[in-house]
Amino acid sequence: MVANVGRPLASTINEHIDDCIQHYAYEDALFLAEMNHDQENSEETLLLLADCYFRTNRLDELFHLLADNPLANPRVRYIFAACCFELKKHDECMRALAGTSPNTCNRLHPDLAQSYSAPFAYNLLSKLYCKESRTEEALEAAEKSARLNCLHWSAVQEYLYLGGKEPEEVFSPVLKQFSQHISDENEDAYEDVEDENNEEEDDPSSHSTPQIFGLPPIRHGAAPRKMTKKSSSDTSTLPIESRRYSSASLRSARSLRPDVENETLMTGKRPSIPRAAKSLKDSKSSSLSRGEIASKSPKRKAEPKPFPLSSRNSNLNPSSTSSTRTSVARKIRSTPSGGARTPSIVKRESTTTPIAGASTASSPHSTTSEKDVERMAHIVQRMYHLTLVHYHFSNFKLAEAENEIAAMNPQAQDTSQVTLARARIMVEKGAYKSARMLLESHHKRFPHKVDGMEMLSTALWQEQDTHSLSALATTLTTRAKDRAESWCAAANSFSLAKQHSQAVQCLERAIKLNPRFVYSYTLLGCELIEMEELEKAGKAFRAALCVRPRDYRAYYGLGMVNQKKEQLNLAQLDIGKAIEINGQNSVLYCAMSSVLHSRGDIQGALLVINKALAIDEHSVAAHYHKARYLYDVRDYSSCLQVLEKLKERASDEANVYFLLGKVHKRLGDTDKALLNFHWASNMDPRGESMLSDLGEHFEEEGSSHT
């Protein structure tokens, strides 16, 4: 007996195909789309068929299907361009995006430029320019994409990490459009917080800037390596061994500095977003007038109030603007796009003009409720704050990024995206223990998420926690084996066990899964350096720059590769580029001083190492480098003073005691020299960490006898 069907069949084939897509039956959708296209052969059926081919990952078939078509539909043209990009057919991709003028910078084909596909097409164009090392053009394309759709997060992130400088202007149209939906709800609570902040601003001690720590250098030719196990304490040790990268910073086998035990990102002054203007006159002078989109609501007769944005440069000197900043109390409400289900994925192409801010509030098909408006308002406001956090982070203004997080709604601060942003800041600062605690808590709250787990594996690698890192890698590769982050964690686990070839295999798999995951490339470069595969390491770092041209870690890695190859001019150039991108990192200056020292410019090396100490006066690496340079210029008394202080913070580092022994020998104190040499040999029985210094010692002895 045949059971009764609960619902009648849809009347159109498009609805059937859409049903299959919504239930992830992509093969069934493709089967119906092929039959539909064979019967009608129209632009609409071609779009539906192309969409199904892309969803089923049949890119070669899709390419040959669309290569012979005129690509009259804008979305069909975009799908073809995306297909070419995935197949690495970059010339065909450029022609699909730019039409007959592929050499015209940042100009889309007219059909694409006037469609809803424009922001996505500009984002794809930006990626193409990155692969060709055309950074300025990539930035321009990314900016156009972000301005057309500021809710397209990957485009906004690409714009920021390419060096974008105007995040407020990117969001100004959508904030202006939604400014009429401002609520006074929860204002009192925020005003109390603002009063506390004003009291903090009156306290001079609240103006301290969190310490920005440096990155550990990759081990190069003359650097000895410690063989002893890292102690469980947080005492800083010398970065004189193989070094690695994290998603936000280079990684080392041991921490460079004492961890920030009680670090929190919720301290310090909290700049707030200004309230909405009280009159229409303010909106005429507001910086948001550019690109304004009038979103009229039939329920409101009054003109919408603007949402003025103060200059974010004030974050550089919060005390100078504290009296003019007001509460972050108000909620922004907005009108989202229609909530009714669209029967077919093709229908939105009926509108040809894109709307800035990606809002379709003026669409006649939009049906919204007050709850929908409020939800959209929260998302817009949260994305704006998160954009400012990433803007400061991409410019390595870590204190200001922390302040932006502190200025957020407490509910927003507790979200996964903001938590991961806090973790990235901690890793960049070298606070690996705090980052580990935060990420482990995040993992417990969101066990289904894999995002950010590469940072947790970095923190575990730093702490030499083999058991926890192995457990994390096993868990991730078991339940999320299709994510690059999982295989990066596995690579870290193999690396900690000194199984570098297995780590390389894991990283190659990670790159295959996600070719745009920069961490995989930089980590691969470090592993290849460990294996003395310098040419392959250089290719890995250059591949990272093709994805993110302003990644200072990749330039730093190239500098270390060139230094090991004794190409000191190229090494100095690459590390100089890294410093130009991130001038607040002490270890970059340490690396530059090492290159200058290798070139024989010891005075220049001393000047640079003093800059490193000015940035981070607690850097053990910088103090050790300075001691070596003072020894080379025969300033033994100053060298001894530096080493005596350094010995208190790096009590388990063989290199410190070995250099102390050499200094005491030069000063004629043979007993202390022998004692320090004895301690050094006990810490490093194999003596590998002292081989290069011994070579220098014998050379000096030989030159003195002659």
Side-chain angles (χ1 to χ4, degrees):
M1 181 175 180
V2 180
N4 293 328
V5 179
R7 57 186 286 267
L9 291 176
S11 57
T12 66
I13 190 65
N14 284 359
E15 292 180 0
H16 280 291
I17 295 173
D18 191 51
D19 249 355
C20 291
I21 290 175
Q22 292 195 14
H23 291 84
Y24 318 110
Y26 295 136
E27 295 292 340
D28 293 329
L30 177 60
F31 180 80
L32 291 175
E34 286 177 336
M35 295 186 66
N36 187 33
H37 185 62
D38 289 340
Q39 184 174 359
E40 185 175 342
N41 193 11
S42 64
E43 289 183 6
E44 183 177 350
T45 60
L46 179 64
L47 171 59
L48 206 53
L49 179 59
D51 185 81
C52 291
Y53 269 126
F54 206 106
R55 290 173 186 269
T56 53
N57 201 33
R58 300 189 182 185
L59 300 181
D60 286 310
E61 297 175 60
L62 175 60
F63 174 79
H64 291 292
L65 169 68
L66 298 181
D68 299 328
N69 278 277
L71 306 179
N73 186 289
R75 192 161 171 232
V76 170
R77 178 176 290 276
Y78 174 76
I79 291 176
F80 180 66
C83 173
C84 293
F85 184 82
E86 294 295 329
L87 294 174
K88 298 183 180 180
K89 299 179 182 292
H90 297 153
D91 291 338
E92 290 87 344
C93 180
M94 184 67 75
R95 282 193 290 269
L97 292 173
T100 57
S101 303
N103 295 325
T104 303
C105 296
N106 294 314
R107 287 192 180 181
L108 294 179
H109 187 278
D111 291 343
L112 278 176
Q114 299 300 321
S115 71
Y116 277 100
S117 299
F120 304 94
Y122 275 120
N123 192 31
L124 188 58
L125 191 62
S126 175
K127 295 176 183 178
L128 275 177
Y129 285 140
C130 284
K131 286 186 172 293
E132 298 176 0
S133 300
R134 299 161 65 177
T135 307
E136 293 183 1
E137 295 165 13
L139 173 60
E140 184 180 348
E143 181 178 5
K144 290 182 178 180
S145 176
R147 286 181 181 274
L148 285 173
N149 187 351
C150 65
L151 300 186
H152 186 192
W153 178 244
S154 64
V156 173
Q157 234 181 353
E158 188 81 5
Y159 168 65
L160 295 178
Y161 283 102
L162 283 172
K165 300 297 184 183
E166 300 293 341
E168 296 95 342
E169 291 190 9
V170 168
F171 270 80
S172 62
V174 70
L175 290 175
K176 181 77 171 183
Q177 180 179 353
F178 296 151
S179 62
Q180 59 180 316
H181 303 292
I182 296 176
S183 170
D184 293 333
E185 193 174 341
N186 294 333
E187 180 174 4
D188 294 338
Y190 285 101
E191 287 180 347
D192 293 339
V193 174
E194 186 70 12
D195 292 339
E196 294 177 3
N197 292 338
N198 291 336
E199 292 177 1
E200 291 178 3
E201 289 175 355
D202 294 335
D203 183 6
S205 63
S206 67
H207 294 282
S208 60
T209 302
Q211 180 67 44
I212 300 177
F213 295 104
L215 302 180
I218 299 175
R219 177 173 58 88
H220 50 86
R225 186 172 66 178
K226 178 185 172 185
M227 304 301 297
T228 56
K229 184 177 180 182
K230 179 183 180 294
S231 63
S232 59
S233 65
D234 289 324
T235 304
S236 301
T237 53
L238 285 174
I240 311 174
E241 56 182 42
S242 68
R243 300 305 183 187
R244 308 172 54 77
Y245 292 91
S246 70
S247 60
S249 69
L250 295 170
R251 306 186 296 112
S252 65
R254 294 163 297 175
S255 177
L256 273 173
R257 77 287 303 162
D259 223 359
V260 184
E261 193 70 40
N262 298 319
E263 178 183 358
T264 174
L265 294 178
M266 306 306 298
T267 58
K269 293 175 288 184
R270 298 171 53 177
S272 59
I273 302 298
R275 299 178 185 174
K278 300 300 182 181
S279 66
L280 185 61
K281 294 181 180 180
D282 293 341
S283 66
K284 295 180 181 179
S285 59
S286 172
S287 62
L288 298 180
S289 59
R290 186 192 303 180
E292 176 185 356
I293 299 177
S295 177
K296 298 181 179 180
S297 173
K299 297 181 180 180
R300 296 175 181 267
K301 296 182 180 180
E303 292 284 353
K305 297 180 180 180
F307 190 87
L309 299 176
S310 61
S311 173
R312 284 284 156 182
N313 292 332
S314 59
N315 284 339
L316 299 176
N317 186 11
S319 60
S320 64
T321 58
S322 59
S323 61
T324 61
R325 309 199 81 154
T326 55
S327 172
V328 67
R330 303 193 179 270
K331 298 180 181 178
I332 304 175
R333 296 181 180 176
S334 62
T335 305
S337 55
R341 177 185 171 209
T342 305
S344 172
I345 59 174
V346 188
K347 291 189 176 180
R348 58 180 305 206
E349 287 299 329
S350 58
T351 305
T352 59
T353 304
I355 299 178
S359 173
T360 56
S362 60
S363 171
H365 303 288
S366 296
T367 57
T368 61
S369 64
E370 190 68 18
K371 187 176 181 180
D372 294 331
V373 170
E374 185 174 354
R375 186 185 302 116
M376 185 66 176
H378 285 306
I379 290 175
V380 169
Q381 186 181 31
R382 190 170 299 173
M383 281 195 66
Y384 174 63
H385 278 281
L386 197 59
T387 298
L388 293 176
V389 172
H390 280 264
Y391 167 68
H392 291 306
F393 179 80
S394 64
N395 289 281
F396 307 101
K397 299 176 181 178
L398 304 184
E400 284 145 10
E402 293 172 349
N403 287 339
E404 287 296 344
I405 293 177
M408 288 186 180
N409 184 307
Q411 184 179 1
Q413 294 177 10
D414 201 36
T415 60
S416 174
Q417 295 88 349
V418 177
T419 301
L420 292 178
R422 292 175 62 199
R424 287 188 176 89
I425 295 171
M426 289 177 178
V427 172
E428 185 67 37
K429 292 172 62 176
Y432 297 110
K433 178 179 288 187
S434 300
R436 173 182 177 174
M437 294 173 59
L438 182 63
L439 288 167
E440 285 178 342
S441 175
H442 175 269
H443 188 48
K444 290 179 181 178
R445 291 181 56 212
F446 306 98
H448 63 284
K449 291 183 68 67
V450 182
D451 297 338
M453 289 299 99
E454 78 284 353
M455 289 188 290
L456 178 56
S457 69
T458 295
L460 295 172
W461 196 95
Q462 291 283 348
E463 297 182 355
Q464 304 284 284
D465 192 340
T466 305
H467 178 74
S468 298
L469 181 55
S470 178
L472 176 66
T474 301
T475 301
L476 292 176
T477 53
T478 300
R479 67 176 181 85
K481 59 184 178 181
D482 60 339
R483 292 293 299 273
E485 292 88 340
S486 302
W487 294 103
C488 287
N492 282 332
S493 180
F494 281 120
S495 175
L496 196 57
K498 306 299 181 183
Q499 300 178 20
H500 300 295
S501 59
Q502 288 88 340
V504 167
Q505 292 177 8
C506 291
L507 293 169
E508 289 174 345
R509 183 167 185 175
I511 290 172
K512 187 175 181 180
L513 289 171
N514 187 357
R516 294 192 58 79
F517 192 50
V518 181
Y519 179 68
S520 304
Y521 295 102
T522 53
L523 195 58
L524 177 61
C526 292
E527 291 297 327
L528 291 169
I529 286 178
E530 286 291 321
M531 299 173 65
E532 299 296 330
E533 297 281 353
L534 300 183
E535 293 296 333
K536 292 182 179 179
K539 290 181 180 179
F541 291 127
R542 283 188 287 271
L545 291 174
C546 287
V547 179
R548 184 168 293 173
R550 293 184 69 252
D551 186 48
Y552 73 94
R553 298 154 303 188
Y555 280 117
Y556 178 77
L558 283 174
M560 296 298 99
V561 168
N562 288 323
Q563 187 174 11
K564 288 180 72 69
K565 293 166 66 176
E566 297 184 357
Q567 297 176 350
L568 300 180
N569 290 334
L570 292 177
Q572 184 175 352
L573 181 63
D574 289 327
I575 297 175
K577 290 180 180 178
I579 292 176
E580 184 180 352
I581 295 170
N582 182 5
Q584 297 299 317
N585 196 290
S586 65
V587 174
L588 295 180
Y589 288 98
C590 289
M592 178 63 79
S593 70
S594 179
V595 173
L596 294 174
H597 177 260
S598 299
R599 298 186 64 179
D601 186 3
I602 301 179
Q603 294 298 330
L606 278 171
L607 290 175
V608 173
I609 206 65
N610 286 331
K611 292 182 180 179
L613 289 170
I615 295 173
D616 181 8
E617 62 181 2
H618 302 294
S619 172
V620 175
H623 283 291
Y624 179 78
H625 281 296
K626 183 174 182 178
R628 288 193 62 188
Y629 303 154
L630 290 172
Y631 179 85
D632 289 342
V633 297
R634 293 179 170 79
D635 189 353
Y636 301 123
S637 59
S638 299
C639 179
L640 182 61
Q641 292 177 5
V642 174
L643 288 173
E644 289 294 340
K645 293 180 180 179
L646 187 58
K647 184 173 65 174
E648 298 176 0
R649 303 187 58 221
S651 58
D652 61 344
E653 180 57 59
N655 296 279
V656 174
Y657 292 95
F658 188 77
L659 187 55
L660 269 171
K662 293 172 64 177
V663 172
H664 283 299
K665 184 176 181 180
R666 288 293 184 184
L667 293 175
D669 195 341
T670 307
D671 292 338
K672 289 186 178 179
L674 291 175
L675 181 62
N676 281 284
F677 284 140
H678 175 70
W679 286 339
S681 63
N682 287 339
M683 294 177 187
D684 188 359
R686 295 175 61 182
E688 293 185 3
S689 64
M690 280 94 70
L691 289 178
S692 60
D693 282 339
L694 280 173
E696 295 174 5
H697 172 69
F698 291 142
E699 289 177 3
E700 292 170 0
E701 290 294 333
S703 62
S704 63
H705 289 307
T706 58

